Amino acid sequence: MFALAMRSIAQRPGRLIATLVSAFLGSVIIMAFNSMHDTAGGANVDARSSDTLTVAASVVGGYGTLLVFFAIASTLTVNVRQRGEEIALLRRTGATPAQIKRMVVFEAAAVGVIGTLLAIVPATIGGEQLLNVFQDTDQVAGGVEYVFGPIGLSAGFGVGLIASIGASFLAVRRATREAAGGPESAGRARHFAGFAALVVGVGAVCSTFALDKTDTALMAAPAYGAILISVGFAVFSPVLLKFPLGRLARPITALTGASGYLTVHNMRQRAAQLSGVLMPLILFIGMAAVTLYMQSLQNDALDASGITRSVDDKSLETLNFVIVGIIVAFACVMLINTLYAATTYRSREFGQQRLAGATPGQVLGMVAVESVVLTVTGVFFGTVAALAGTTAFSVVRVDAVLPGQGPGIWLAIVGIGAAATIVTSVGTACRVLRTPAVEAVELAA
């Protein structure tokens, strides 16, 4: 299996590029922030600077770990689904499910290691720039020197490998079962994890009401609650995608004609595959919206009270904006990665549709309508998650159910998510459709 995995990587490295990009960017985030632990433990670091660095590393390390796992899981799932025929052929020629699992898991581990190795230098640069931000805002003493040490390095390799191996194992397990002709997995473990995330998330949001408006930990409970609710929705994304299809099938077909009919038919057949796009979109909308709205509420409340912002307030504000920046960048890359891999994989499907009579314009219209449906679904559930955390924080902090900042922040976040989804899907489909239909079917066979 080792030789087979290495030959597979060497012959078709392009199919693993999306996973490599996810592992690389994830490792940059994980190592850059965890290097703050190394820096905090350096010589001549005062207590206040050490606390600031440790909090930044711990909070963003948790966010980063979650995002890395979902990014690698979504891209690996697409990658393994693309290899359904290859896995079925290996099964017919005598390979056991265990051998196929070891092959795919080894490939994923190799890609994870390569991605982490490539990320060391950018992570070092990023960590140094992050320290400069804290020093420029007087949260860390100017004399503190940056250290990239064993904590940052081990965190990058540890998270990258665990995410790659775990995600690939889950994806190939389902693929080998389907290749053997067995029934689809009921996904009990996945459903349990999603249900647990929703329950704990709702509990965390509700715990906000037990805190005082001046409590320094007030933002933590609703933020983590909204994030966990987003995770729960992301886990249940195959089920959530059926919600708009069941209610909007006729309007979609009536408004968009043949493209709409193709959209509804394909999305019903491919709900599980397309749900991978909802994961990063829901996480992006939910996490970015709740963080920005809560920080804006906090700033307005402090300004209205006339109290001068403390070092802790400035530290929290900087940390929140850094978190949002990372979420925006990484979630968008994760979304684009998943969409690019999933749309490129559909070259054979597009070719077959064209050979059956569909025009390139109708196929392109189908992809565009799919993107709109995915965007609307992702925005809806991401907004629900963000509202849960934001409303709880607003009630406790400023005695108002809804924040007074208006929809501007939400519209900006939704605009970024929608643009990333629609432009990537349609742009990739345009490139795929340049290949003649017969050639596309033959190349993918």
Side-chain angles (χ1 to χ4, degrees), residues 264-339:
V264 173
H265 176 76
N266 275 277
M267 293 191 77
R268 282 174 173 168
Q269 297 294 321
R270 303 178 64 254
Q273 293 92 324
L274 291 172
S275 65
V277 177
L278 283 182
M279 288 187 181
L281 185 57
I282 292 173
L283 288 172
F284 167 60
I285 299 294
M287 296 170 75
V290 72
T291 306
L292 283 176
Y293 269 109
M294 287 199 307
Q295 185 59 56
S296 182
L297 275 166
Q298 177 73 356
N299 290 346
D300 288 351
L302 290 173
D303 292 341
S305 66
I307 300 174
T308 304
R309 297 184 189 181
S310 66
V311 173
D312 289 338
D313 292 329
K314 293 179 181 179
S315 177
L316 184 60
E317 181 179 8
T318 302
L319 183 59
N320 282 335
F321 283 129
V322 169
I323 289 172
V324 171
I326 291 171
I327 290 171
V328 169
F330 190 66
C332 279
V333 170
M334 181 168 65
L335 180 62
I336 292 169
N337 243 356
T338 305
L339 281 167

Side-chain angles (χ1 to χ4, degrees), residues 228-277:
L228 287 172
I229 293 173
S230 298
V231 170
F233 284 151
V235 171
F236 283 111
S237 53
V239 179
L240 301 181
L241 191 55
K242 296 177 182 179
F243 175 77
L245 292 178
R247 289 158 177 76
L248 301 177
R250 288 185 179 179
I252 289 173
T253 303
L255 289 173
T256 56
S259 295
Y261 172 80
L262 288 173
T263 298
V264 173
H265 176 76
N266 275 277
M267 293 191 77
R268 282 174 173 168
Q269 297 294 321
R270 303 178 64 254
Q273 293 92 324
L274 291 172
S275 65
V277 177

Side-chain angles (χ1 to χ4, degrees), residues 352-391:
Q352 290 173 332
Q353 289 171 344
R354 291 158 65 190
L355 291 176
T359 66
Q362 289 172 335
V363 175
L364 195 62
M366 175 194 72
V367 175
V369 177
E370 280 182 3
S371 301
V372 172
V373 174
L374 287 170
T375 300
V376 171
T377 307
V379 167
F380 176 80
F381 288 103
T383 302
V384 170
L387 272 175
T390 304
T391 301

Side-chain angles (χ1 to χ4, degrees), residues 8 45 69 215 262 351 354 444:
S8 177
V45 178
F69 182 82
D215 199 314
L262 288 173
R354 291 158 65 190

Side-chain angles (χ1 to χ4, degrees), residues 43-363:
N44 301 320
V45 178
D46 61 279
R48 184 172 67 86
S49 299
S50 178
D51 288 342
T52 299
L53 295 171
T54 300
V55 169
S58 301
V59 172
V60 182
Y63 282 109
T65 301
L66 181 67
L67 287 172
V68 169
F69 182 82
F70 270 91
I72 295 177
S74 60
T75 50
L76 272 173
T77 299
V78 172
N79 174 264
V80 172
R81 286 185 180 278
Q82 291 174 353
R83 304 172 64 180
E85 293 184 4
E86 176 189 343
I87 292 173
L89 178 61
L90 288 172
R91 291 284 287 122
R92 289 194 296 268
T93 55
T96 66
Q99 289 173 327
I100 296 173
K101 289 174 186 175
R102 286 197 295 268
M103 179 191 73
V104 176
V105 168
F106 177 82
E107 287 179 4
V111 171
V113 170
I114 294 171
T116 304
L117 288 173
L118 293 174
I120 291 176
V121 173
T124 304
I125 297 172
E128 191 168 5
Q129 293 303 313
L130 180 62
L131 177 62
N132 291 337
V133 170
F134 285 123
Q135 290 177 329
D136 291 342
T137 54
D138 297 324
Q139 299 167 58
V140 174
V144 174
E145 295 184 359
Y146 177 68
V147 178
F148 184 85
I151 298 178
L153 193 62
S154 60
F157 276 99
V159 172
L161 281 176
I162 291 172
S164 298
I165 293 173
S168 63
F169 179 81
L170 293 175
V172 75
R173 181 181 179 184
R174 179 175 181 177
T176 51
R177 182 184 293 108
E178 293 175 358
E184 276 195 23
S185 170
R188 291 180 181 177
R190 173 179 175 145
H191 291 168
F192 176 80
F195 182 73
L198 289 173
V199 171
V200 176
V202 171
V205 169
C206 292
S207 70
T208 307
F209 299 103
L211 301 173
D212 186 79
K213 66 172 61 180
T214 59
D215 199 314
T216 56
L218 179 61
M219 295 181 71
Y224 277 112
I227 291 167
L228 287 172
I229 293 173
S230 298
V231 170
F233 284 151
V235 171
F236 283 111
S237 53
V239 179
L240 301 181
L241 191 55
K242 296 177 182 179
F243 175 77
L245 292 178
R247 289 158 177 76
L248 301 177
R250 288 185 179 179
I252 289 173
T253 303
L255 289 173
T256 56
S259 295
Y261 172 80
L262 288 173
T263 298
V264 173
H265 176 76
N266 275 277
M267 293 191 77
R268 282 174 173 168
Q269 297 294 321
R270 303 178 64 254
Q273 293 92 324
L274 291 172
S275 65
V277 177
L278 283 182
M279 288 187 181
L281 185 57
I282 292 173
L283 288 172
F284 167 60
I285 299 294
M287 296 170 75
V290 72
T291 306
L292 283 176
Y293 269 109
M294 287 199 307
Q295 185 59 56
S296 182
L297 275 166
Q298 177 73 356
N299 290 346
D300 288 351
L302 290 173
D303 292 341
S305 66
I307 300 174
T308 304
R309 297 184 189 181
S310 66
V311 173
D312 289 338
D313 292 329
K314 293 179 181 179
S315 177
L316 184 60
E317 181 179 8
T318 302
L319 183 59
N320 282 335
F321 283 129
V322 169
I323 289 172
V324 171
I326 291 171
I327 290 171
V328 169
F330 190 66
C332 279
V333 170
M334 181 168 65
L335 180 62
I336 292 169
N337 243 356
T338 305
L339 281 167
Y340 179 82
T343 307
T344 303
Y345 165 58
R346 300 173 66 183
S347 59
R348 184 179 186 181
E349 173 196 334
F350 295 162
Q352 290 173 332
Q353 289 171 344
R354 291 158 65 190
L355 291 176
T359 66
Q362 289 172 335
V363 175

